[in-house]
Amino acid sequence: KQWYQRRVPITAGKPMKIVSNGEMHRTHKCMIVHDPFLRNFEAERFSQWFDVTRIQFHSINEILKKGSLISKINALSPEIVYLHIGFGDLLSKTEGNSIIDMYKQLIYKLLESSKAKICISLMIPVLGYPETNSRLKQINKIVSDFITQLRNQTRYEDRIFTGYNDSLSGFVNRTSGPHGVTVALNERGQKKLFIKMRDCLQRSLGHTNPRRNKGGRNDYSRNNLHYE
């Protein structure tokens, strides 16, 4: 068969991409704000549906102190901001209540200062840190409950989502870095997280084909559209 490009009108301001069958479809601008867990992220191998820009920070505290994230978001105007951050704050011995307060402050800033939808990817437990993991799970639970409360408000119900990552705890490598202990997912763990990330982004856009597990249960809960 002769390959050809179907002519499709391109709406101004709506980026398009040619896929393998010659069709063209709209891509969605996405900003990924992340810690070292995603430092090896390769945007070009992620998904043909998303035009990804990524920014790396060590911690929520760094984001709030620098204060540059909102201006970067407004300059890019992404449809979705995917946030995977928090473990650096935990390793720095910051009090749990302070981390929760920083999460809330950042979430409110993102919601109030931009029109983007927000996906909060909760922290990944790391084997070998029982005390840290106990604090991590408590923080994840409180942040998740907070987002559920936001979603119960009509103003935010379709703008903020969360993703669970507990199943990735066995795929984390620990190394030493400029900030002390640095953690990152191994190659297999990254692939698993990227699948979760892609599905979470698609769900936030209203796509109705979430991945199902072996038992046939949707990986999204109804009250908060979590991704497990």
Side-chain angles (χ1 to χ4, degrees):
K1 291 183 179 181
Q2 181 179 3
W3 183 90
Y4 67 94
Q5 177 177 325
R6 177 177 294 180
R7 295 183 179 276
V8 179
I10 300 178
T11 304
K14 305 294 185 183
M16 308 290 287
K17 183 179 289 187
I18 302 173
V19 293
S20 58
N21 63 358
E23 298 282 344
M24 295 186 72
H25 65 76
R26 181 188 166 197
T27 57
H28 301 276
K29 279 188 180 181
C30 172
M31 177 180 284
I32 297 178
V33 182
H34 65 91
D35 58 18
F37 270 107
L38 286 169
R39 63 175 175 241
N40 295 321
F41 178 81
E42 298 179 63
E44 65 275 7
R45 298 179 60 186
F46 176 57
S47 172
Q48 62 186 9
W49 295 98
F50 296 98
D51 178 11
V52 176
T53 298
R54 68 186 184 95
I55 303 175
Q56 180 171 325
F57 290 94
H58 176 67
S59 63
I60 304 172
N61 186 44
E62 182 187 3
I63 293 175
L64 295 174
K65 279 188 174 181
K66 287 188 173 180
S68 60
L69 179 59
I70 298 301
S71 61
K72 292 180 184 296
I73 291 172
N74 289 334
L76 183 69
S77 296
E79 292 180 66
I80 314 166
V81 175
Y82 182 93
L83 192 76
H84 187 92
I85 199 80
F87 197 78
D89 301 281
L90 203 62
L91 285 185
S92 69
K93 306 298 183 183
T94 303
E95 290 292 328
N97 287 337
S98 296
I99 296 175
I100 292 165
D101 288 343
M102 288 191 294
Y103 260 118
K104 291 181 178 180
Q105 184 180 346
L106 179 57
I107 288 170
Y108 273 128
K109 280 182 178 292
L110 293 173
L111 289 171
E112 294 295 329
S113 302
S114 78
K115 296 181 180 180
K117 296 188 176 186
I118 313 299
C119 296
I120 303 296
S121 175
L122 298 178
M123 291 184 287
I124 302 171
V126 179
L127 299 179
Y129 288 91
E131 183 178 344
T132 299
N133 281 340
S134 177
R135 295 174 62 217
L136 180 152
K137 290 179 180 180
Q138 291 176 4
I139 293 169
N140 278 353
K141 176 65 166 58
I142 293 171
V143 171
S144 172
D145 289 345
F146 170 67
I147 293 172
T148 297
Q149 292 174 8
L150 289 177
R151 286 184 55 80
N152 288 333
Q153 302 176 29
T154 304
R155 185 178 182 183
Y156 299 127
E157 62 180 345
D158 293 323
R159 285 199 56 205
I160 187 161
F161 309 84
T162 55
Y164 281 122
N165 297 307
D166 286 1
S167 62
L168 299 176
S169 61
F171 302 97
V172 177
N173 294 331
R174 293 176 290 173
T175 58
S176 297
H179 297 283
V181 175
T182 301
V183 292
L185 290 166
N186 60 27
E187 185 176 355
R188 187 178 176 192
Q190 288 181 48
K191 290 179 180 178
K192 289 179 176 292
L193 179 59
F194 296 164
I195 292 172
K196 289 174 177 284
M197 183 192 305
R198 183 191 63 210
D199 289 352
C200 191
L201 294 176
Q202 289 175 338
R203 184 68 170 181
S204 71
L205 291 170
H207 294 191
T208 56
N209 57 340
R211 196 163 52 89
R212 292 179 176 270
N213 62 20
K214 292 181 180 179
R217 177 177 58 83
N218 271 353
D219 283 331
Y220 302 97
S221 68
R222 292 183 180 181
N223 67 326
N224 197 8
L225 293 183
H226 289 304
Y227 184 76
E228 298 177 349

